[in-house]
Amino acid sequence: MGASIIPLWGNAHTPQKSQDIGVEKGESSTTGANDPEQWHKLGTGKMPRPDRRKTLEYDVVVIGGGAAGMCAAVAAARNGAKVVLVQDRPVLGGNSSSEIRVHLNGVNHLKNGEPERETGIIEEILLHNRFCNPQDSYPVWDHVLYDFITSEPNLDLKLNTTAIRAIMDGERIEAAYCWQLTTETEYTFKADCFIDCSGDGLLGATAGALYRTGREASSEFNEKYAPKEADGWQMGSTVLLGSKDMGRPMPFSPPHFTLKYDAEKSHPGRKLKPFELGFWWVELGSEDDIIGEFEDNKHKLLGYAYGVWDYLKNSGKFPETENYALDWVSSLPGKRESRRFLGDYILCEPDMLGYRDFRDAVAFGGWSLDEHNPGGIENLPEPPSYFHEKFEQPYQIPFRCLYSKNVPNLLFAGRNISQTHIALSSSRIMATCALEGQAVGTAAALCVKKQISPRELGGKHIDELQEQLLRDDAFIPNRAAKSPGDLVKKASLIFASSTSSGEAELLKDGMSRDYHGKLHHWKSQGLPAEVQIEWEDRMKISRIEIKCDTNVKRNIMLRRDSLENKIYSTQVPPELLKTAEVEARIEGKWKRLASLENNRRRLIKFAFDPIETTAIRIKLMETYGASDVKLFEIRCYD
Ligand SMILES: Cc1cc2nc3c(=O)[nH]c(=O)nc-3n(C[C@H](O)[C@H](O)[C@H](O)COP(=O)(O)OP(=O)(O)OC[C@H]3O[C@@H](n4cnc5c(N)ncnc54)[C@H](O)[C@@H]3O)c2cc1C
């Protein structure tokens, strides 16, 4: 006789089909020998029945609270959708969280050595961190993210909640069935649109979304860095560690699970110095089921991490480690690769190296083609990464790579998008994932509003999606904003009180950064400064939006080494506008409409009761240190 399965909650069941969802709250369960709930609540005399099955309805469900998922959820919420963000860990941030501590990089080093930093929601997060976490603490970063996400109206966050499977209605996902570990609660989240930003993509996979793993043959997409024959190899997971100088000798004896690191046989690309912050190359890939092997690989990775540390401490070759001791070893390996969903397009190496212009571009990347070797630390003779090539300029990522080919209401962002293994070797970088996240979040909100699928949105309304992204301070290479409805486009005159570079007219050219050697800014000479916009006819205005400077040629992400040099900074960008006022000329007199103090954002929005005017002026008083102020865009709306 087979063992009988006891349901989780009384007669509750794991819903599999659409008719199974919508169980009434508080529905009583049968009592009897199989009843799993026998709660005698002492002191009350009651025998209550906890009801821990909840069905909640949203417009958009986002799975995974890494860089991609956070930006997707915020974008969807800000564009009017009711959103839930489901994250299986107790903290946000994915690989950048204090549990894993990977640096949230973006387009950091193009061939010319310069960054081309991401703007939009990810920049807002990084700026928020610069203000709240000048000490560069990873545990504090977790709560900078928590603060950012939980202060967003329209957005519910469910931590410690795992999306276990999709509940289907035909080809569409009707709900995400989830389990919250800390409250023993089964959640069923229903929505119009689902965005899988979980990296591994369990929701999408259980919905039947087509996906691939492994390496494509070079002939399939004409990729020069792909292997001749397709194979199953996926880049691996890594356990990072950290150490500190204790000021006195610190002997180290390795734990029993340590695996010996054979440095003599290892490729010199596995650099042991600097050693303080651990080694990204303590990595184990897989040729098979990298998700299913995770726990076994984690055990080995811990062994290898301690093995490398043992070599540093006890081989006698690194006397500089004598006073160092481990003060953190991650218990959660960071992942690099598993499922890659299939969209209407598969991004590949020639698209990236050829800087292909996509009509439906919605994001960009530019980290090098940083393909790690098959096998990681168990493939010692090969370099840990091939670092095939750097890019001269950012490449575009098309919207068709961000939704499923066969599940009509599923979008994705992050490392699981529709791309080849070689494309992933660059695009997996977190700020790139974040841009994809903002794109799909915005797209999902538009799909809900219009009651259409992502494919229809991409086919018929791609301009609207791109325009919304640009308005929200995303950047799409080579795509200037046309800004429909922006009244500044109708202005007869735009001028400034002083100019040291660029010109005031450029504030309406639709480009929100200097690009390809062309200026798209106006910069004052000294402070205070003013920009004035004049119209021949009276305009009704209730919103003014400006994009100021945060220097996209310098990185501002949290780093464990708090690097301060030409391209990394731990400071609030001195260029950022701090104090400003906007005024309108009404019946010949200037009237103050709104003021701004201690600004923390690049995209600044002023909202006020509608006025009718023929002129506005923006008074710019102070930055966070720069002696001139630089703007990239001014928009006015009714
Ligand atoms: C050691 C290491 C070094 C790296 N170096 C860099 C670097 O320097 N810079 C850089 O930018 N990138 C780096 N990367 C790559 C980068 O971290 C990943 O590619 C990136 O995190 C992918 O982003 P994501 O948002 O798709 O996924 P993640 O960051 O993995 O976020 C996904 C989140 O979803 C959660 N989740 C998963 N399944 C479910 C589920 N079923 N239900 C609910 N939640 C779920 C996960 O727990 C996770 O928190 C590195 C990776 C590793 C491992």
Side-chain angles (χ1 to χ4, degrees):
M1 223 172 84
S4 63
I5 296 170
I6 298 176
L8 288 174
W9 292 114
N11 64 355
H13 47 257
T14 302
Q16 314 245 358
K17 295 181 298 201
S18 85
Q19 65 266 31
D20 289 340
I21 35 178
V23 181
E24 286 292 309
K25 266 185 96 177
E27 190 182 23
S28 64
S29 49
T30 50
T31 48
N34 278 347
D35 193 333
E37 189 60 40
Q38 301 286 348
W39 181 9
H40 182 185
K41 194 175 177 190
L42 290 178
T44 66
K46 290 182 181 158
M47 299 202 59
R49 309 216 43 85
D51 180 13
R52 295 188 183 136
R53 284 172 294 153
K54 293 188 177 150
T55 298
L56 301 175
E57 293 196 17
Y58 292 91
D59 296 321
V60 177
V61 173
V62 180
I63 310 297
M70 289 187 297
C71 292
V74 169
R78 288 184 181 174
N79 280 287
K82 194 163 174 271
V83 183
V84 63
L85 173 59
V86 180
Q87 161 70 344
D88 62 357
R89 308 298 307 173
V91 290
L92 291 160
N95 280 2
S96 79
S97 75
S98 67
E99 295 189 306
I100 304 176
R101 306 191 186 191
V102 170
H103 294 162
L104 197 158
N105 280 308
V107 180
N108 288 20
H109 305 102
L110 294 168
K111 261 187 194 160
N112 64 9
E114 283 189 349
E116 194 64 60
R117 190 155 57 72
E118 297 72 15
T119 50
I121 295 168
I122 190 61
E123 158 158 282
E124 220 179 295
I125 293 175
L126 296 180
L127 281 174
H128 191 48
N129 183 60
R130 279 283 146 249
F131 282 99
C132 304
N133 187 16
Q135 63 274 35
D136 284 342
S137 154
Y138 268 83
V140 172
W141 163 251
D142 292 341
H143 297 134
V144 168
L145 299 177
Y146 187 73
D147 182 38
F148 190 85
I149 294 296
T150 54
S151 59
E152 191 63 42
N154 252 7
L155 170 54
D156 286 348
L157 173 64
K158 301 286 180 203
L159 290 176
N160 295 306
T161 307
T162 306
I164 294 171
R165 73 164 66 90
I167 299 165
M168 303 302 288
D169 177 10
E171 288 185 325
R172 291 172 61 83
I173 304 178
E174 184 175 7
Y177 176 65
C178 304
W179 171 250
Q180 191 171 54
L181 183 69
T182 46
T183 60
E184 300 179 347
T185 300
E186 296 170 58
Y187 277 110
T188 301
F189 297 119
K190 295 169 128 185
D192 281 358
C193 267
F194 293 80
I195 308 179
D196 194 327
C197 297
S198 67
D200 280 347
L202 179 58
L203 182 89
T206 58
L210 297 166
Y211 68 87
R212 290 182 162 193
T213 63
R215 305 194 289 183
E216 287 78 8
S218 62
S219 55
E220 188 178 357
F221 293 92
N222 197 17
E223 293 182 311
K224 61 180 169 183
Y225 297 121
K228 202 158 178 300
E229 307 281 339
D231 64 29
W233 278 107
Q234 295 145 83
M235 289 181 286
S237 304
T238 289
V239 162
L240 289 174
L241 56 82
S243 61
K244 68 177 177 191
D245 185 348
M246 304 294 288
R248 60 182 194 283
M250 296 297 294
F252 173 71
S253 53
H256 83 273
F257 55 82
T258 300
L259 294 171
K260 186 172 155 36
Y261 175 57
D262 198 343
E264 310 308 320
K265 291 198 180 136
S266 185
H267 187 279
R270 287 189 188 78
K271 295 200 171 61
L272 286 160
K273 290 189 213 175
F275 58 83
E276 291 87 342
L277 302 180
F279 311 94
W280 56 263
W281 44 260
V282 174
E283 169 177 356
L284 270 182
S286 172
E287 204 180 357
D288 186 18
D289 180 8
I290 199 164
I291 295 173
E293 293 160 11
F294 183 79
E295 289 298 328
D296 289 343
N297 282 350
K298 175 193 159 179
H299 180 73
K300 285 210 230 170
L301 281 167
L302 278 173
Y304 283 120
Y306 277 93
V308 173
W309 188 250
D310 183 37
Y311 179 73
L312 283 164
K313 290 289 289 182
N314 296 326
S315 66
K317 294 183 179 166
F318 298 89
E320 63 271 43
T321 63
E322 190 181 8
N323 288 357
Y324 276 81
L326 292 173
D327 78 335
W328 172 75
V329 182
S330 177
S331 292
L332 184 64
K335 297 181 176 184
R336 288 188 179 84
E337 181 172 1
S338 52
R339 295 186 176 100
R340 300 191 304 277
F341 289 116
L342 297 189
D344 277 348
Y345 188 79
I346 300 177
L347 187 70
C348 61
E349 180 198 296
D351 297 331
M352 295 166 143
L353 289 174
Y355 308 109
R356 184 164 168 194
D357 264 315
F358 289 103
R359 168 74 189 88
D360 61 338
V362 287
F364 70 91
W367 184 263
S368 62
L369 288 170
D370 171 10
E371 189 202 8
H372 291 201
N373 83 8
I377 199 164
E378 293 190 339
N379 181 0
L380 285 178
E382 282 199 60
S385 171
Y386 303 114
F387 291 115
H388 297 299
E389 204 167 318
K390 281 190 176 176
F391 290 93
E392 268 159 23
Q393 53 177 287
Y395 54 79
Q396 297 181 345
I397 300 175
F399 182 55
R400 280 164 298 155
C401 298
L402 307 182
Y403 61 84
S404 168
K405 192 184 166 114
N406 65 318
V407 177
N409 60 344
L410 173 66
L411 299 112
F412 24 78
R415 64 180 169 84
N416 61 13
I417 68 163
S418 180
Q419 58 187 338
T420 64
H421 165 86
I422 292 292
L424 170 75
S425 77
S426 164
S427 75
R428 71 178 182 280
I429 289 307
M430 282 184 269
T432 307
C433 297
L435 298 181
E436 296 160 6
Q438 181 165 354
V440 290
T442 308
L446 286 173
C447 287
V448 171
K449 224 177 270 174
K450 295 178 186 296
Q451 285 296 297
I452 57 174
S453 68
R455 179 176 289 131
E456 283 172 279
L457 184 79
K460 295 186 194 145
H461 306 276
I462 193 66
D463 270 330
E464 191 175 340
L465 172 59
Q466 290 171 325
E467 287 299 329
Q468 190 60 51
L469 288 167
L470 295 170
R471 183 170 174 183
D472 294 339
D473 204 19
F475 174 69
I476 303 173
N478 310 323
R479 169 68 163 82
K482 295 170 208 145
S483 331
D486 172 17
L487 300 172
V488 175
K489 297 275 190 211
K490 297 185 177 168
S492 51
L493 191 59
I494 170 162
F495 61 94
S497 57
S498 67
T499 300
S500 65
S501 71
E503 50 187 286
E505 274 290 322
L506 293 174
L507 296 176
K508 57 176 191 176
D509 76 353
M511 288 292 281
S512 60
R513 67 176 66 193
D514 296 339
Y515 200 61
H516 272 192
K518 283 205 177 134
L519 298 190
H520 297 282
H521 73 256
W522 158 80
K523 188 174 171 188
S524 75
Q525 186 149 43
L527 281 168
E530 281 178 27
V531 180
Q532 189 163 323
I533 300 169
E534 298 268 347
W535 289 270
E536 274 168 13
D537 301 320
R538 282 156 80 94
M539 295 286 144
K540 192 166 163 210
I541 298 176
S542 60
R543 298 185 74 88
I544 297 176
E545 298 174 4
I546 63 180
K547 290 181 184 140
C548 65
D549 188 24
T550 48
N551 192 356
V552 296
K553 299 290 180 189
R554 209 154 177 222
N555 295 304
I556 56 166
M557 80 285 267
L558 172 71
R559 288 180 60 99
R560 293 168 68 205
D561 54 4
S562 299
L563 205 55
E564 189 71 52
N565 63 23
K566 200 167 156 256
I567 62 161
Y568 292 99
S569 177
T570 61
Q571 309 297 312
V572 170
E575 297 87 354
L576 180 65
L577 178 63
K578 188 173 182 186
T579 316
E581 275 178 10
V582 292
E583 296 181 336
R585 195 176 56 215
I586 297 169
E587 283 156 14
K589 288 205 175 116
W590 287 103
K591 183 182 163 205
R592 186 192 297 174
L593 300 176
S595 58
L596 171 79
E597 277 176 23
N598 297 319
N599 169 53
R600 292 179 168 204
R601 294 179 179 190
R602 187 181 121 109
L603 170 59
I604 300 163
K605 295 182 176 178
F606 298 98
F608 40 85
D609 291 338
I611 47 121
E612 293 209 353
T613 185
T614 54
I616 61 149
R617 70 181 177 198
I618 301 170
K619 295 178 146 187
L620 307 151
M621 270 86 83
E622 201 185 349
T623 64
Y624 281 87
S627 50
D628 305 319
V629 65
K630 194 190 268 184
L631 301 185
F632 288 98
E633 191 170 81
I634 302 181
R635 296 181 182 212
C636 294
Y637 293 95
D638 176 4

